[in-house]
Amino acid sequence: MTGRISCKMVAAYLREIGIDYIPVPLRGPSSEAAGSAAKEEPDSPAAKPAVSPRKEREPHGGETLEEIRQELIACRGCPLCSGRRTVVFGVGNPHARLMFVGEGPGEEEDRQGEPFVGAAGKRLNRWIARIGLKREDVYIANIVKCRPPGNRAPLPAEAASCLPYLKRQIRTIRPEVLCTLGAVALQYLLDTNEKITRVRGRWRVFDGVPMLPTYHPAFILRNQAREHEVFDDFDLLAERLRLK
Ligand code: URA
């Protein structure tokens, strides 16, 4: 026998025998480089991981979302904490099969304490409905949990400080599929400078979870003619989750 056993073959075998997730110890915020757990997945269909059938899952990160939330509301890890009204932790089904990651709270989100409640959120809700799900079925979170002033993009230090919380959310929810919304979420989660226009609709893997980057709904509100690309991306999500 001359062939080498690749990680992909091992992963496929583990999936076949019912193991679809292997926990990896978390590193602390200070040592954690943004997106260090990320790696690229080839775009060829044969390389895509199979979707495991829906099972009831226990919180997998060894902690509950509420425990993470309690820690986060006391967070003073970066200067954004001084301007916040609320910590916008995340919302949705703790057992969601599909989890979205946006950039950071805007004014309305900061006021209400919930991600994607403004105009961009309404557009996101429409996309979710398009694949036969409701907002309550999925989980929605952001790279940073406190509103950046003037709705600017989070700075690298702010994202680096907040990312460990998001990673813990992802490990606790253990979605079958992640979808990043917009360039900022893509860049910070995968630690990449790749252009969203180039990588949207192409599968990646984040921390063992298949991840699809697509456009941010706020971008689509300003560039309506590109929404068909998001529809294509959501079709890919639906396909992988076997919603169709
Ligand atoms: N934009 C984001 O990226 N996140 C929100 O929560 C709202 C708008």
Side-chain angles (χ1 to χ4, degrees), residues 68-89 104-114 144-152 158 161-162 165:
I68 304 168
R69 200 179 71 82
Q70 286 303 326
E71 223 181 279
L72 191 65
I73 58 180
C75 178
R76 306 237 145 242
C78 85
L80 292 183
C81 66
S82 57
R84 74 184 175 215
R85 271 187 235 186
T86 54
V87 171
V88 182
F89 178 66
E107 188 177 6
E108 205 44 46
E109 288 77 20
D110 178 51
R111 200 191 314 272
Q112 295 189 34
E114 183 172 328
V144 294
K145 317 297 193 199
C146 300
R147 183 190 177 206
N151 293 346
R152 65 157 168 76
E158 295 158 355
S161 164
C162 219
Y165 292 110

Side-chain angles (χ1 to χ4, degrees), residues 102-106 109 115-116 120 142 216:
E103 181 178 320
E109 288 77 20
F116 284 99
N142 281 311
H216 195 284

Side-chain angles (χ1 to χ4, degrees), residues 102-160:
E103 181 178 320
E107 188 177 6
E108 205 44 46
E109 288 77 20
D110 178 51
R111 200 191 314 272
Q112 295 189 34
E114 183 172 328
F116 284 99
V117 288
K122 290 198 174 71
R123 185 57 61 102
L124 175 61
N125 294 347
R126 268 163 56 177
W127 297 343
I128 293 168
R130 217 174 163 269
I131 56 171
L133 296 176
K134 296 191 287 291
R135 184 175 164 97
E136 309 81 78
D137 294 325
V138 304
Y139 198 89
I140 307 173
N142 281 311
I143 295 286
V144 294
K145 317 297 193 199
C146 300
R147 183 190 177 206
N151 293 346
R152 65 157 168 76
L155 301 174
E158 295 158 355

Side-chain angles (χ1 to χ4, degrees), residues 8-139:
K8 220 169 270 163
M9 289 161 75
V10 173
Y13 171 71
L14 290 174
R15 236 175 267 118
E16 208 171 295
I17 62 171
I19 299 170
D20 60 357
Y21 189 88
I22 300 172
V24 178
L26 284 165
R27 280 171 290 158
S30 56
S31 68
E32 190 143 18
S36 58
K39 64 180 181 343
E40 187 162 355
E41 183 189 16
D43 291 327
S44 69
K48 287 179 180 174
V51 175
S52 57
R54 178 82 178 112
K55 325 188 246 288
E56 274 316 310
R57 288 163 294 173
E58 293 303 316
H60 206 76
E63 57 187 349
T64 64
L65 288 175
E66 185 51 28
E67 283 164 351
I68 304 168
R69 200 179 71 82
Q70 286 303 326
E71 223 181 279
L72 191 65
I73 58 180
C75 178
R76 306 237 145 242
C78 85
L80 292 183
C81 66
S82 57
R84 74 184 175 215
R85 271 187 235 186
T86 54
V87 171
V88 182
F89 178 66
V91 72
N93 183 346
H95 299 291
R97 300 177 66 200
L98 173 58
M99 176 170 175
F100 292 96
V101 178
E103 181 178 320
E107 188 177 6
E108 205 44 46
E109 288 77 20
D110 178 51
R111 200 191 314 272
Q112 295 189 34
E114 183 172 328
F116 284 99
V117 288
K122 290 198 174 71
R123 185 57 61 102
L124 175 61
N125 294 347
R126 268 163 56 177
W127 297 343
I128 293 168
R130 217 174 163 269
I131 56 171
L133 296 176
K134 296 191 287 291
R135 184 175 164 97
E136 309 81 78
D137 294 325
V138 304
Y139 198 89

